[in-house]
């Protein structure tokens, strides 16, 4: 299949900046680009090497899309409407282009909450994977943490937005001893955050790689070429729904067939400062998306609640800076990936943000029973400090991360298209696209 994104990386190339301290002081100005500088983790290629050493059968995205095992048995897909009417506040008006529903168990569960969304339109400009698939991916985190004695971490739904069929893939963290664990806020078992699942508030699929937002640090990195099939592996099992990792010579995944190990990460270099204040340093990484207008950029921002001092910030990084010239993840800990734009948000409670042709598009939540809001800003420039709202429209209850599916596949002239998000609250869930 074509990989336009890798060609772009080759054309852009990389330039290594001067070495700086691993932990740089926060800049006095919260919009200083030095606050948004990222580096690879200190493991180098170790996580990728650990993933490659797992003695399991590899899977492919095409294989997973051919093996989707869940679907809502009532209304899996609705065009120009809501497949889950409870997701839309009575009396509100949401300009829905398409909605896709989860089955009853996933719609109603209080254990898992959906958060991040990315699509094949992020993956590459021709908006197609393999033999015509156009997947939408959704991240979920274990909201219960240790309530059932297990910290199940993060799972990713691979979804066909036309049939509504989908399957969950469990994200895992490869340990040095040939075992793996679930993805947690801290992978250190002596740290109290080990008992908390990573929130995974945003995801971005770009080329072969999946960025997963790590709220306090940056991004965890996963690779579509490194997904493993426990069902097809002699030493793997899809049984043992209460086990993960290696037990008695057999690999488990809490009952899921497919596991996807972390291969790297991007980590903040500036001190954090005081969260959601004007003296903040490195931001929170609450959501992530892609801007394909002009040079491809990863964009991310932070969630600040209405009772906090400021609304939060968004920033953009040229995404070629995360990869080598041949499209592999940069793993040299001395390397620095620099943002080239940062702005203050015009409203609080922003769950998702993306950018296209200078305008920012924002999703804002308003609790468990009130319609969220989709904002379009005035065009921003390098001198814009605080984004200005140009227009707004209603969203579902509980909207989360945003993903932009531009119209057309001409990389030099993409159209505005549609914006995808997911409604998170139990009984009110659906994945959907809106027209701006």
């Amino acid at each position: 299949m074509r990989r336009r994104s890798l060609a772009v990386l080759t054309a852009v190339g990389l330039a290594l900046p001067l070495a700086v301290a691993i932990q740089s002081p926060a800049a006095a100005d919260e919009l200083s680009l030095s606050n948004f500088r990222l580096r690879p983790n200190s493991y180098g290629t170790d996580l990728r090497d650990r993933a490659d050493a797992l003695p399991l059968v590899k899977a492919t995205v095409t294989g997973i899309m051919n093996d989707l095992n869940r679907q809502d048995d009532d209304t899996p897909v609705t065009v120009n409407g809501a497949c889950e009417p409870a997701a839309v506040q009575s009396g509100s008006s949401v300009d829905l282009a398409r909605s896709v529903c989860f089955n009853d168990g996933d719609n109603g569960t209080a254990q898992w909450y959906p958060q991040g969304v990315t699509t094949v339109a992020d993956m590459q400009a021709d908006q197609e994977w393999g033999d015509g698939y156009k997947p939408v991916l959704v991240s979920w985190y274990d909201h219960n943490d240790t309530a059932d004695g297990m910290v199940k971490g993060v799972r990713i739904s691979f979804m066909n937005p036309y049939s509504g069929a989908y399957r969950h893939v469990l994200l895992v963290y490869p340990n040095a001893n040939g075992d793996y664990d679930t993805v947690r806020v801290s992978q250190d078992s002596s740290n109290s955050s080990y008992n908390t699942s990573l929130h995974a508030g945003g995801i971005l699929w770009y080329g072969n790689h999946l960025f997963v937002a790590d709220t306090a640090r940056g991004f965890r990195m996963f690779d579509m070429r490194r997904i493993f099939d426990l069902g097809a592996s002699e030493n793997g099992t899809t049984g043992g729904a209460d086990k993960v990792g290696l037990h008695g010579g057999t690999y488990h995944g809490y009952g899921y067939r497919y596991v996807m190990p972390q291969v790297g990460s991007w980590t903040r270099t500036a001190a954090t400062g005081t969260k959601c204040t004007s003296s903040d340093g490195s931001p929170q990484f609450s959501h992530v998306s892609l801007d394909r207008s002009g040079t491809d950029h990863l964009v991310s921002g932070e969630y600040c609640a209405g009772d906090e001092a400021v609304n939060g910030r968004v920033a953009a990084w040229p995404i070629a800076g995360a990869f080598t010239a041949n499209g592999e993840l940069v793993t040299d800990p001395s390397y620095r990936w620099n943002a080239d734009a940062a702005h203050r948000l015009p409203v609080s409670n922003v769950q998702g943000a993306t950018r296209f042709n200078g305008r920012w598009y924002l999703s804002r939540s308003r609790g468990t029973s009130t319609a969220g809001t989709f904002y379009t800003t005035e065009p921003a420039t390098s001198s814009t400090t605080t984004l200005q709202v140009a227009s707004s429209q209603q969203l579902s209850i509980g909207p989360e991360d945003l993903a932009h599916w531009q119209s057309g596949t001409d990389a030099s002239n993409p159209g505005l298209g549609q914006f995808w998000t997911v409604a998170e609250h139990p009984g009110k869930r659906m994945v959907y696209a809106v027209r701006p």
Side-chain angles (χ1 to χ4, degrees):
M1 71 197 74
R2 294 194 298 112
R3 282 283 183 269
R4 171 192 168 270
S5 57
L6 302 188
V8 169
L9 299 179
T10 303
V12 173
L14 294 174
L16 290 174
L18 296 175
V20 296
I22 291 297
Q23 179 83 346
S24 303
D29 177 6
E30 75 270 29
L31 293 183
S32 170
L33 295 181
S34 63
N35 284 329
F36 301 87
R37 184 176 293 135
L38 299 170
R39 65 168 177 84
N41 66 46
S42 59
Y43 290 108
T45 63
D46 281 0
L47 291 180
R48 186 175 65 198
D49 294 343
R50 293 177 194 176
D52 286 341
L54 289 171
L56 296 167
V57 174
K58 281 188 175 179
T60 65
V61 173
T62 298
I64 292 171
M65 295 302 294
N66 286 331
D67 190 31
L68 305 180
N69 66 338
R70 301 190 184 208
Q71 187 178 42
D72 183 46
D73 59 7
D74 298 318
T75 311
V77 178
T78 298
V79 177
N80 298 324
C83 60
E84 176 50 77
V88 179
Q89 183 187 2
S90 177
S92 67
S93 178
V94 184
D95 193 0
L96 291 162
R98 177 178 296 270
S99 60
V100 187
C101 274
F102 302 108
N103 67 21
D104 291 346
D106 288 331
N107 184 31
T109 182
Q111 178 179 24
W112 293 95
Y113 271 61
Q115 296 291 300
V117 177
T118 187
T119 78
V120 71
D122 293 330
M123 188 274 295
Q124 61 186 27
D126 71 0
Q127 303 176 3
E128 185 172 299
W129 178 273
D131 298 327
Y133 284 116
K134 295 180 178 291
V136 171
L137 275 55
V138 179
S139 66
W140 305 65
Y141 78 104
D142 179 3
H143 186 262
N144 283 352
D145 290 329
T146 59
D148 57 359
M150 297 174 280
V151 181
K152 293 186 176 180
V154 178
R155 67 186 187 186
I156 303 293
S157 301
F158 285 71
M159 175 177 279
N160 182 328
Y162 301 99
S163 70
Y166 63 98
R167 178 183 274 276
H168 302 311
V169 173
L170 186 70
L171 299 187
V172 297
Y173 182 88
N175 293 320
N177 61 356
D179 199 356
Y180 56 73
D181 198 355
T182 51
V183 176
R184 306 161 184 249
V185 173
S186 173
Q187 302 299 150
D188 180 357
S189 60
S190 66
N191 190 303
S192 61
S193 294
Y194 178 74
N195 290 322
T196 303
S197 295
L198 191 75
H199 194 70
I203 54 175
L204 171 61
W205 180 14
Y206 190 81
N208 288 315
H209 290 88
L210 181 70
F211 294 76
V212 177
D214 184 342
T215 310
R217 295 183 183 88
F219 304 102
R220 306 282 186 103
M221 299 300 300
F222 299 81
D223 192 326
M224 296 296 177
R225 298 165 297 182
R226 293 173 170 89
I227 303 174
F228 294 92
D229 185 344
L230 298 178
S233 301
E234 290 186 3
N235 55 345
T237 180
T238 58
D242 60 343
K243 296 182 178 67
V244 70
L246 187 60
H247 296 267
T250 301
Y251 286 93
H252 296 71
Y254 283 132
Y256 296 107
R257 177 168 182 169
Y258 300 99
V259 296
M260 188 176 187
Q262 184 177 333
V263 298
S265 65
W266 287 99
T267 303
R268 61 179 176 82
T269 61
T272 56
T274 304
K275 175 182 173 293
C276 293
T277 69
S278 58
S279 61
D280 206 351
S282 174
Q284 302 283 296
F285 298 85
S286 303
H287 41 80
V288 62
S289 63
L290 183 70
D291 175 7
R292 279 202 182 275
S293 58
T295 302
D296 290 357
H297 277 70
L298 177 147
V299 297
S300 183
E302 56 191 353
Y303 174 92
C304 291
D307 59 355
E308 294 184 279
V310 299
N311 294 328
R313 297 163 290 174
V314 287
W317 291 256
I319 201 167
F323 300 101
T324 65
N326 64 355
E328 296 301 327
L329 183 66
V330 174
T331 56
D332 179 358
S334 69
Y335 176 78
R336 296 298 179 267
W337 183 21
N338 295 305
D340 61 9
H343 310 285
R344 299 184 188 95
L345 287 164
V347 295
S348 65
N349 299 79
V350 172
Q351 300 279 10
T354 192
R355 187 183 70 174
F356 185 73
N357 283 340
R359 294 183 187 270
W360 287 79
Y361 300 86
L362 315 172
S363 58
R364 184 188 196 193
S365 61
R366 297 174 180 270
T368 61
S369 59
T370 303
T373 307
F374 180 85
Y375 293 98
T376 301
T377 75
E378 298 289 354
T381 68
S382 58
S383 62
T384 301
T385 53
T386 301
L387 299 173
Q388 301 298 312
V389 172
S391 64
S392 65
Q393 62 192 70
Q394 291 179 312
L395 291 175
S396 72
I397 298 166
E400 287 292 315
D401 192 29
L402 282 177
H404 181 207
W405 194 316
Q406 67 275 5
S407 62
T409 57
D410 181 355
S412 65
N413 187 34
L416 183 57
Q418 300 167 356
F419 294 84
W420 284 78
T421 187
V422 60
E424 72 163 331
H425 297 299
K428 304 175 182 179
R429 291 176 177 151
M430 62 183 183
V431 185
Y432 64 96
V434 294
R435 306 176 185 92

